[in-house]
Amino acid sequence: MEKHTNRFPISHVLGFIFSLILTFGAAYIALKTSLSFKVIMWIIGTLAVLQAGIQLFMFMHLREGEDGKTNVINIVYGVFMAVVIVVGSIWVMSAGHAAH
Amino acid sequence: MGIKWDEFFITGDPLILGSQIAIVLTMVGIVAGVTYLKKWKWLWSEWITTVDHKRIGIMYIISGVLMFFRGGMDGLLMKAQTSRPEMEFLDAQHYNEIFTTHGVIMILFMAMPMLIGIMNVVVPLQIGARDVAFPQLNALSFWLFFGGAMLFNISFVIGGSPDAGWTSYFPLAGKEFSPGIGNNYYAVALQIAGIGTLLSGINFVVTILKMRTKGMTLMKMPMFTWTSFIASVIIIAAFPIFTVALALMTFDRLYGAHFFTLSGGGLDMLWANLFWLWGHPEVYILVLPAFGIYSEIISTFSRKTLFGYKSMVLSILIIALLSMVVWVHHFYTMGSGPAVNSIFSITTMAIAVPTGIKIFNWLFTMRKGRIKMTNAMLWSLAFVPCFIIGGVTGVMLGMGAADYQYHNTLFLVAHFHYTIIPGVVFAVFAALYYWWPKMFGFTLNEKIGRWHFWLFVIGFNATFMPMFFLGLDGAVRRSYTYSVESGFAPLFLVSALGSVILALGFIAFCYNIYWSIRHADRNITGDPWNARTLEWATASPVQPYNFAKLPEVDGLDPFWKMKKNNQGLTIKDSEIKEIHMPSNSGLPFIMGVAFGVAGFFLVFEWHIAAAIAAIGIIAGLIYRSFDYDEGYHIPVDEIKETESKWRNVEGEVHNYVK
Ligand code: HEM
Ligand SMILES: [Cu+2]
């Protein structure tokens, strides 16, 4: 950690700005455009994935880990969680008569 | 901002008026007492600003005991109301508020801080570390939890309690159907406390991964450390879901959004879905550390290494993964269809397998052991049959098709009290009896402890066993009364009497603490139970730096081996080096207050005031970012003196091997 303290944290600042742009972009597209529901969902979904990527690379020190195995476990676990939460919720909320 | 001052304090109910008076008197009493004893400075510099994991742990535990009292009072009030048919003690609204605050307080402000407190005290010692990875963050965790808890607790006298159940389901919990501010307390206070919990989770994962002493590989960690580790991992996975869900709830209630409303395209059941995506893992966050506690205690008092260590670790890993994929069992009746319900029935029942493995491991640990019936061991023994009743009824509830019968009845209420009380409360009591000498330097009285144990266990069974049958007979949960014709009266009466016995048990516990503080023998060894893990290899109560020299480890039960081989129990003067310690800080406390105040304004929807208070939070964050405090060093002489005080005492560790 020591070696970072003197350098200006440029990648963090950039990551922060990108995240803001992507978030406000998504809000703009969802609220202010008159695209069809489907198109909006696809666009903001893509922006969300992009933003997750930015956060992983610019904030989460993904490239710095000395220990590859730990990183793999972390990523696999993170993906597992994301899939359970997102795909699981969509499935549960749209199956059966819960959806009607 | 349209402040309705006449609705600020709740008026017109004698019970609440009584509590308001009691609260004011207690506060005046505390302030007067501390002033009279001239303890303000001591309180500030020794406790409020502390970053020592042991003290933070003790503060968590004290808060937990207080919250147990509050939640228990709620429970007793409910039991009084349903003791006879058509009772007119609490009205429907009041009953709603009480089961809501009871549920929230018991789970989030009693069980969680008790376990996190015990983790704080024990985990760094068990892994041979001097503190947690981020001591000041740890203090912040505590003060955020405390701020959130206090905010939630004042709801019943100021502004009105939340009343939509601890699950706070939409649409009931939305503005449309709950226009008062009560449910804002739920959204805001739990958010604040939740941030604290999340920070704790991160802190413990880093601590356990990075701060283990030399030689302690993952597979040589004590079982309590393992379970705390996995519980922390689940915290990191699950709490953000709750954070987001609560934020969406806040938007809905405060700013007119429509995430969960019936109108405007909201999905009310999405709240239930997100709540339980967090809520089910949450119960495993609670029960895993408790499993760890039982493992330590059963192994110590059976005088044997834990049976099946590897299968224990494997089963907690499997439990952790499965716990993420069972959440729908809380709302089978929502009607997601046979495919969803079948899959989740299967995953739910599958959890019983690793849990069963653990039960057998504990039984085999006791087999042929020389069992010592201390209070800690008694609680662990009582846990096994009680928890099995909870587990078996859980499998019954877990079958989607059958659950349509049990859903929303007292059968369910009996089930989860049968898992959570043996699974958490018994464990906390066991842990307090077991680690009390480590924290305070004296043991709790075993005789009074027996009263505590028998009253509590008998009272617990008498309270909740009848609820299974009431539920099967059709008594619904969250219902404030029932008719004479229903025929429920006898069982409800038994249950109410049971809760009185339960309360007597708790009183015996409080009396035990009081008695032991006054009269218990202070001249005990660092290792009163002849235990096996590293926390017992140092003084009781533990010195600020934990270990003068960090211990080295080459297997399970390291302290047991040290005693057997008479190795590493003494320390040479030349081995003592200066120790680097983190400084105390008032910032976490101030941040907790700032969060609490901002939260309070937000609850009342005074947005400008809330924004101003939030500036305090941001200022605190900035201050912390530029805080270059490097801590301080304890000089060698001081360490030598501290060490000689406990090492040369009669009956000390190295004389204790049997
Ligand atoms: C100390 C003894 C306790 C008593 C006498 C007690 C009693 C009760 C009663 C009467 C209810 C409501 C039943 C109804 O739906 O009408 C209830 C609900 C509940 N209890 Fe307890 N309880 C106790 C301890 C605990 C503990 C230790 C926990 C958790 C750590 C807990 C968690 C809950 C929860 C989550 C609910 C559901 C609240 C809701 O419906 O929203 N209880 N309890
Ligand atoms: Cu569950």
Side-chain angles (χ1 to χ4, degrees), chain B residues 196-500:
Chain B
T197 309
L198 187 56
L199 296 179
S200 285
I202 295 171
N203 215 336
F204 277 96
V205 166
V206 180
T207 306
I208 294 171
L209 285 180
K210 293 286 181 192
M211 313 238 324
R212 275 167 289 131
T213 192
K214 210 167 149 200
M216 186 177 282
T217 57
L218 286 180
M219 291 308 280
K220 289 181 184 144
M221 296 198 305
M223 193 47 62
F224 179 64
T225 302
W226 252 115
T227 54
S228 301
F229 174 56
I230 298 300
S232 307
V233 171
I234 309 181
I235 287 179
I236 298 179
F239 262 78
I241 307 173
F242 197 40
T243 306
V244 170
L246 284 173
L248 299 182
M249 172 191 257
T250 312
F251 281 126
D252 272 13
R253 288 195 54 90
L254 264 56
Y255 307 108
H258 292 283
F259 293 105
F260 306 125
T261 57
L262 288 178
S263 59
L267 268 178
D268 53 335
M269 282 312 286
L270 183 59
W271 165 266
N273 180 70
L274 292 177
F275 180 89
W276 287 112
L277 256 167
W278 159 80
H280 189 87
E282 161 68 15
V283 302
Y284 281 86
I285 294 167
L286 294 176
V287 87
L288 283 181
F291 285 171
I293 292 170
Y294 291 130
S295 302
E296 302 294 347
I297 291 174
I298 290 178
S299 154
T300 298
F301 293 116
S302 305
R303 300 277 178 274
K304 281 176 68 195
T305 307
L306 190 65
F307 182 90
Y309 179 88
K310 278 192 190 132
S311 63
M312 282 292 215
V313 173
L314 191 68
S315 52
I316 29 181
L317 290 176
I318 296 175
I319 289 177
L321 282 181
L322 282 178
S323 77
M324 294 306 313
V325 291
V326 296
W327 76 95
V328 176
H329 64 210
H330 295 276
F331 49 94
Y332 286 135
T333 52
M334 178 171 105
S336 287
V340 172
N341 281 7
S342 309
I343 296 282
F344 281 90
S345 296
I346 292 168
T347 51
T348 301
M349 286 188 265
I351 284 203
V353 177
T355 317
I357 293 177
K358 298 182 77 74
I359 300 268
F360 280 110
N361 278 332
W362 289 314
L363 296 181
F364 282 123
T365 306
M366 287 187 267
R367 184 167 174 263
K368 293 194 173 169
R370 275 173 292 142
I371 297 178
K372 247 179 121 175
M373 287 291 175
T374 58
N375 272 331
M377 188 65 183
L378 276 181
W379 286 108
S380 312
L381 291 177
F383 153 76
V384 174
C386 293
F387 190 76
I388 288 176
I389 296 176
V392 169
T393 51
V395 176
M396 291 168 70
L397 286 155
M399 294 182 278
D403 182 59
Y404 275 75
Q405 287 301 316
Y406 311 130
H407 187 74
N408 224 27
T409 65
L410 289 181
F411 185 84
L412 167 80
V413 175
H415 150 71
F416 69 68
H417 283 90
Y418 258 93
T419 51
I420 217 158
I421 293 183
V424 177
V425 180
F426 286 15
V428 166
F429 286 140
L432 288 180
Y433 281 97
Y434 184 61
W435 280 301
W436 194 272
K438 205 36 27 193
M439 294 188 273
F440 300 109
F442 58 92
T443 52
L444 288 173
N445 182 293
E446 287 278 314
K447 249 213 197 100
I448 308 174
R450 289 293 196 273
W451 280 100
H452 169 208
F453 173 78
W454 286 110
L455 286 170
F456 199 93
V457 172
I458 292 171
F460 157 69
N461 281 289
T463 309
F464 293 105
M465 187 58 81
M467 286 201 202
F468 281 122
F469 300 101
L470 282 168
L472 292 178
D473 287 346
V476 289
R477 72 187 285 204
R478 293 176 176 170
S479 171
Y480 82 111
T481 194
Y482 51 93
S483 64
V484 186
E485 295 77 41
S486 65
F488 296 153
L491 283 176
F492 263 118
L493 187 61
V494 173
S495 172
L497 293 175
S499 69
V500 175

Side-chain angles (χ1 to χ4, degrees), chain B residues 574-639:
Chain B
S574 59
E575 288 173 321
I576 295 182
K577 306 239 158 55
E578 263 193 353
I579 295 175
H580 181 205
M581 299 289 290
S583 316
N584 283 0
S585 166
L587 189 60
F589 173 73
I590 295 170
M591 290 286 273
V593 173
F595 265 97
V597 172
F600 182 80
F601 290 142
L602 213 52
V603 166
F604 281 86
E605 304 179 21
W606 300 339
H607 298 291
I608 297 168
I612 294 171
I615 295 175
I617 299 173
I618 295 176
L621 289 174
I622 294 175
Y623 178 83
R624 175 66 181 146
S625 302
F626 292 95
D627 179 7
Y628 294 108
D629 183 31
E630 295 280 336
Y632 66 100
H633 287 84
I634 306 183
V636 174
D637 290 336
E638 197 182 320
I639 300 171

Side-chain angles (χ1 to χ4, degrees), chain B residues 78 95 99 102 106 165-166 416-417 420 464 477-478 502:
Chain B
M78 288 188 285
Y95 193 84
F99 69 66
H102 167 79
M106 281 299 196
W166 91 283
F416 69 68
H417 283 90
I420 217 158
F464 293 105
R477 72 187 285 204
R478 293 176 176 170
L502 186 84

